[in-house]
Amino acid sequence: MRVLQLTPGTGSFHCGSCLRDNALIKALRTRGHDALLLPLYLPLVTDADEANPEQGVRVGGVGLYLQHKFPFFHKLPKFIHRWVNSESTLRWASTKLGMTSARDLGEMTVGSLEGEKGRQWPVWNELVDWICEGANADVICLSNALLIGLAPALKRRTGKPIVCALQGEDAFVDTLIEPYRSQAWALLQENAKHVTKFISPSKFYAEVMSKKLAVGPEAMTVVPNGINFETFLPVRPTQEPPSPTIGYLARMIHGKGLTTLVDAFILLAKKKSIPGARLRIAGTKTEADDKYIAELKKKIREAGFENRVSWEPNLSFENKVQFLHELSVLSVPATYGEAFGLYIAEAQGVGVPVVQPRHGAFPEILEITQGGVICDPDDPQALAVALEELLLDDARRHKMAATAKVNARAHFSATKMAENFEKVLLEVTTTAAKAPQPA
């Protein structure tokens, strides 16, 4: 089966969607499929073994922005297009993520979802032309629902089924200012009619997006995210941390619960029940996050625990893996209902138990892995108590870590994800082949 996967890149930092899609394409190839991963917006940042290093970005984010702002942009000389879509320009632009105004962000999102009716279409149309002329795909997969402005044209012009993965889009769309939030949801619902099947990473998120997109449960299939755990070996030998170490691994923002975790750590450190306890904060950081992080650092410094907290932004893949192996427990107490939380599978797959809030997909994941503790959301005191109890009970923590490692690797591997994904692809392509063809 010829599978085409369209995935937005980040350009300068690791992202769960990029890692997931890269692992998926490689695992589908192992299963005998001709699978191609095509980056959009910015270059992909994955592990050391990229699925398609020869594939450049097809739709550059800078060119797309300029097309939206200046409708004549697509008519400018080709050398200008080559420059704005060059890897160096795109990687520079990636460092400015998060600096876009709320209005521009809303306009760009709606413009993309408008598809053929939007000002961005001359750029998107070049991608559709390429897919129709050269991709020869049996099925076209979109990495997330924010790409489904492409679905009507792709389905009409290729006649192939369109599969769309879901990756937590509601958390983004719901932060847009009005009128763009309402416009975006209306366009998502309209474009959803042209998607053959949606793939959700959890039962929780399937229910959320079934309502948000106004599609029936038959349009949704649950395929948990997966990881190639073979690449998660430490670069140097590890052992139990000399001091109990709490880790955080996600974007360094309030929404991922970093404020809650910092407040919980301060409460725990003041209690002195776990002498020498440390907090290591890692994950994506952009310029837009600097002010927020500076405020947290000030809070920690004023509490007197600056020397017990480390900040490790934008780790390489190898350093991220090493980081995970050096933790006693991980917590990313997101303030909203996560669709999955790949960092949970990553941590548990190397034997690190987690403490997570009781919402989103977290209870569902931890029921499967039996490798973590659930506590009340947005409550630093409850989080501090849960972390304290786990760190004080070595036997329970070690047993939980061992169980989590086995179960996470059994249920959330790239191989398992590809196996389940393959079933969906075979279903939609078989159904499409049996459908009556237009005269």
Side-chain angles (χ1 to χ4, degrees):
M1 188 188 318
R2 175 74 164 169
V3 181
L4 177 63
Q5 175 80 28
L6 306 181
T7 299
T10 63
S12 59
F13 54 85
H14 288 98
C15 121
S17 295
C18 293
L19 289 172
R20 170 199 176 276
D21 289 358
N22 197 56
L24 172 64
I25 292 303
K26 290 189 288 186
L28 285 173
R29 288 177 183 171
T30 299
R31 299 182 67 81
H33 299 288
D34 184 5
L36 177 68
L37 179 62
L38 195 68
L40 305 175
Y41 299 145
L42 298 165
L44 299 180
V45 180
T46 63
D47 56 25
D49 186 13
E50 188 176 333
N52 294 115
E54 76 284 355
Q55 283 292 335
V57 175
R58 277 284 162 182
V59 176
V62 177
L64 202 62
Y65 175 81
L66 293 173
Q67 177 62 45
H68 186 85
K69 288 294 184 181
F70 309 104
F72 58 83
F73 175 74
H74 66 288
K75 298 180 180 180
L76 295 179
K78 292 296 182 183
F79 75 88
I80 296 178
H81 288 256
R82 287 194 296 270
W83 178 75
V84 300
N85 290 317
S86 67
E87 183 170 342
S88 59
T89 300
L90 293 175
R91 290 199 183 278
W92 171 82
S94 72
T95 65
K96 305 300 179 183
L97 288 177
M99 305 300 286
T100 308
S101 73
R103 180 181 180 85
D104 278 347
L105 194 61
E107 286 184 347
M108 287 295 294
T109 301
V110 169
S112 176
L113 292 171
E114 285 176 327
E116 294 169 277
K117 298 178 181 178
R119 284 182 286 176
Q120 300 171 23
W121 189 249
V123 176
W124 284 117
N125 191 50
E126 292 183 8
L127 172 66
V128 176
D129 286 344
W130 179 84
I131 292 173
C132 292
E133 295 167 6
N136 194 30
D138 296 306
V139 58
I140 300 167
C141 302
L142 309 177
S143 180
N144 63 67
L146 296 177
L147 294 174
I148 63 173
L150 294 168
L154 284 174
K155 191 169 186 180
R156 184 183 71 253
R157 291 178 59 185
T158 68
K160 303 300 182 180
I162 309 297
V163 172
C164 180
L166 299 172
Q167 302 280 359
E169 297 85 349
D170 64 324
F172 170 78
V173 176
D174 284 341
T175 62
L176 297 177
I177 61 173
E178 291 291 7
Y180 307 111
R181 183 190 311 125
S182 298
Q183 291 173 0
W185 279 121
L187 289 165
L188 281 162
Q189 289 182 5
E190 181 61 31
N191 289 324
K193 299 173 184 176
H194 302 274
V195 173
T196 312
K197 183 73 74 172
F198 287 97
I199 295 182
S200 172
S202 63
K203 293 177 183 177
F204 157 78
Y205 202 58
E207 293 176 0
V208 169
M209 290 302 281
S210 181
K211 296 176 182 177
K212 292 276 191 179
L213 296 175
V215 298
E218 71 283 352
M220 293 277 177
T221 298
V222 175
V223 175
N225 290 339
I227 298 167
N228 179 10
F229 287 111
E230 293 178 3
T231 64
F232 273 67
L233 297 175
V235 295
R236 57 181 182 274
T238 57
Q239 54 188 7
E240 183 77 8
S243 300
T245 304
I246 302 164
Y248 171 96
L249 181 63
R251 175 83 181 269
M252 295 182 182
I253 56 174
H254 176 81
K256 289 292 185 181
L258 185 52
T259 305
T260 304
L261 182 59
V262 166
D263 288 344
F265 178 76
I266 291 173
L267 289 171
L268 186 60
K270 286 181 176 180
K271 194 173 180 181
K272 299 181 180 180
S273 58
I274 306 176
R278 298 185 57 81
L279 174 61
R280 294 180 64 181
I281 300 169
T284 297
K285 181 187 79 66
T286 69
E287 288 183 30
D289 307 320
D290 287 342
K291 182 179 179 181
Y292 166 72
I293 292 170
E295 292 171 352
L296 286 185
K297 286 183 175 180
K298 179 182 178 183
K299 179 186 289 188
I300 294 167
R301 184 172 60 252
E302 290 177 347
F305 302 116
E306 185 178 20
N307 64 340
R308 290 165 61 177
V309 179
S310 64
W311 299 81
E312 304 167 54
N314 303 327
L315 295 176
S316 68
F317 180 77
E318 292 79 9
N319 287 337
K320 180 184 79 168
V321 172
Q322 189 70 43
F323 168 85
L324 287 170
H325 280 275
E326 294 172 351
L327 301 179
S328 306
V329 61
L330 178 125
S331 182
V332 182
T335 62
Y336 60 92
E338 281 267 34
F340 186 81
L342 197 64
Y343 44 80
I344 301 302
E346 290 177 329
Q348 298 201 324
V350 300
V352 177
V354 300
V355 177
Q356 291 299 115
R358 188 183 291 101
H359 61 192
F362 298 140
E364 183 179 331
I365 293 173
L366 295 188
E367 183 178 352
I368 293 171
T369 65
Q370 296 296 302
V373 175
I374 293 293
C375 66
D376 291 339
D378 305 322
D379 187 339
Q381 182 64 50
L383 179 58
V385 170
L387 288 168
E388 178 186 37
E389 290 178 351
L390 194 56
L391 289 172
L392 287 174
D393 192 338
D394 290 346
R396 180 190 180 204
R397 191 175 72 256
H398 292 156
K399 181 179 179 180
M400 190 177 286
T403 302
K405 186 172 183 178
V406 171
N407 289 337
R409 288 174 177 249
H411 293 276
F412 303 134
S413 70
T415 300
K416 185 69 173 178
M417 172 176 62
E419 177 185 327
N420 292 329
F421 205 90
E422 179 187 62
K423 293 176 183 177
V424 177
L425 299 184
L426 289 172
E427 175 192 336
V428 298
T429 54
T430 300
T431 302
K434 293 178 179 178
Q437 298 300 312

